[in-house]
């Protein structure tokens, strides 16, 4: 199975900050990388696919990048509604696997 | 709009089975895989398996082989996940999710079903 490792596992930031989350795959996955946002008690929400393509309706302050084994999710200016846990997930191979999550908290 | 509506919370004893349903609407049910993902309390997301609603074909992750069965009823656009021989560490929220392609890009999610396993 392809292992996905996210860092950091948590971070504290203020409204307006630029935030970057990193995701690393245990083998090359090209750009078969997706990002999800999850708020407490809610189902995950689909944000980005193919490493960098925003799902319809996702604000442009979110961006994704990377290919191969190293990927990033960046929030250019953190908004109050962005405090949540973010997960990366590879769709290159079966089983699809998720990173351990990055919790973005208010500083 | 695409909606996945799951059945309600369940409390089960160790050794019992649970069957969770996922009613799909707003799209052609047979055109997309349904995947099941679970999340233990305070933990991350874990893929369990998938079903092709068109053919009924299934794939399960090794961890759940022999304990999980995924089925569907195309007449009512509903998918099911049954987990048997429940243990306390099966306590989790179980999500169904629509998969774009077999490998899984999960663009819509059910609201989740909490399954509690306790004696």
């Amino acid at each position: 199975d392809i292992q996905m490792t996210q860092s950091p596992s948590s971070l504290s930031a203020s409204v307006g900050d630029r935030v970057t989350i990193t995701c690393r795959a245990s083998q090359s996955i090209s750009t078969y990388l997706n990002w999800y946002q999850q708020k407490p008690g809610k189902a995950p929400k689909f944000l980005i696919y193919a490493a960098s393509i925003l799902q319809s309706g996702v604000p442009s302050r979110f961006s994704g990048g990377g290919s191969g084994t190293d990927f990033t999710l960046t929030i250019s200016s953190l908004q109050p509604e962005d405090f949540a846990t973010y997960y990366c997930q590879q769709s290159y191979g079966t089983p699809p696997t998720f990173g351990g999550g990055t919790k973005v908290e208010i500083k | 709009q695409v909606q996945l509506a799951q059945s309600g919370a369940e409390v089960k004893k160790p050794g019992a089975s649970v069957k969770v349903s996922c009613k799909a609407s707003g799209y052609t049910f047979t055109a997309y895989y349904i995947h099941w993902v679970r999340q233990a309390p305070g933990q991350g997301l874990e893929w369990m398996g998938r079903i092709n609603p068109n053919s009924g074909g299934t794939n399960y992750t090794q961890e759940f082989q022999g304990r999980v069965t995924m089925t569907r009823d195309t007449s009512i656009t509903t998918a099911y996940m049954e987990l048997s021989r429940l243990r306390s560490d099966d306590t989790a929220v179980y999500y169904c999710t629509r998969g774009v392609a077999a490998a899984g890009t999960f663009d819509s999610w059910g609201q989740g079903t909490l399954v509690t396993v306790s004696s």
Side-chain angles (χ1 to χ4, degrees), chain A residues 26-38:
Chain A
S26 61
Q27 68 179 71
S28 178
I29 58 171
S30 184
T31 57
Y32 290 89
L33 192 283
N34 308 308
W35 289 98
Y36 303 86
Q37 175 194 66
Q38 187 179 34

Side-chain angles (χ1 to χ4, degrees), chain A residues 11-73:
Chain A
L11 65 90
S12 296
S14 301
V15 173
D17 284 354
R18 181 182 181 88
V19 167
T20 296
I21 297 167
T22 297
C23 178
R24 176 165 289 175
S26 61
Q27 68 179 71
S28 178
I29 58 171
S30 184
T31 57
Y32 290 89
L33 192 283
N34 308 308
W35 289 98
Y36 303 86
Q37 175 194 66
Q38 187 179 34
K39 296 182 178 179
K42 300 295 186 182
K45 175 187 173 184
F46 182 43
L47 292 180
I48 289 172
Y49 63 100
S52 62
I53 303 175
L54 263 60
Q55 174 69 341
S56 174
V58 174
S60 59
R61 63 181 178 273
F62 289 90
S63 64
S67 66
T69 60
D70 294 313
F71 302 88
T72 57
L73 172 68

Side-chain angles (χ1 to χ4, degrees), chain B residues 3-23:
Chain B
Q3 288 193 336
L4 299 173
Q6 297 185 224
S7 49
E10 303 262 14
V11 179
K12 296 291 183 181
K13 294 193 182 301
S17 298
V18 68
K19 190 170 186 177
V20 179
S21 67
C22 173
K23 165 74 175 176

Side-chain angles (χ1 to χ4, degrees), chain B residues 4-117:
Chain B
L4 299 173
Q6 297 185 224
S7 49
E10 303 262 14
V11 179
K12 296 291 183 181
K13 294 193 182 301
S17 298
V18 68
K19 190 170 186 177
V20 179
S21 67
C22 173
K23 165 74 175 176
S25 60
Y27 72 98
T28 301
F29 179 63
T30 52
Y32 296 83
Y33 281 73
I34 292 288
H35 300 248
W36 290 87
V37 175
R38 79 175 186 179
Q39 185 171 39
Q43 302 301 308
L45 301 165
E46 178 181 25
W47 185 80
M48 300 177 68
R50 66 184 174 224
I51 184 167
N52 179 338
N54 188 43
S55 66
T58 55
N59 297 96
Y60 308 133
T61 193
Q62 188 76 15
E63 178 181 353
F64 298 101
Q65 282 281 358
R67 284 209 302 143
V68 70
T69 305
M70 296 177 188
T71 58
R72 92 295 189 214
D73 184 336
T74 57
S75 69
I76 56 171
T77 65
T78 299
Y80 303 91
M81 186 283 298
E82 183 170 21
L83 189 62
S84 63
R85 303 194 300 278
L86 289 168
R87 309 184 295 249
S88 58
D89 62 359
D90 290 318
T91 294
V93 176
Y94 291 77
Y95 294 101
C96 62
T97 176
R98 189 179 82 159
V100 179
T105 292
F106 309 126
D107 69 345
S108 294
W109 294 67
Q111 81 275 22
T113 297
L114 175 62
V115 175
T116 302
V117 183

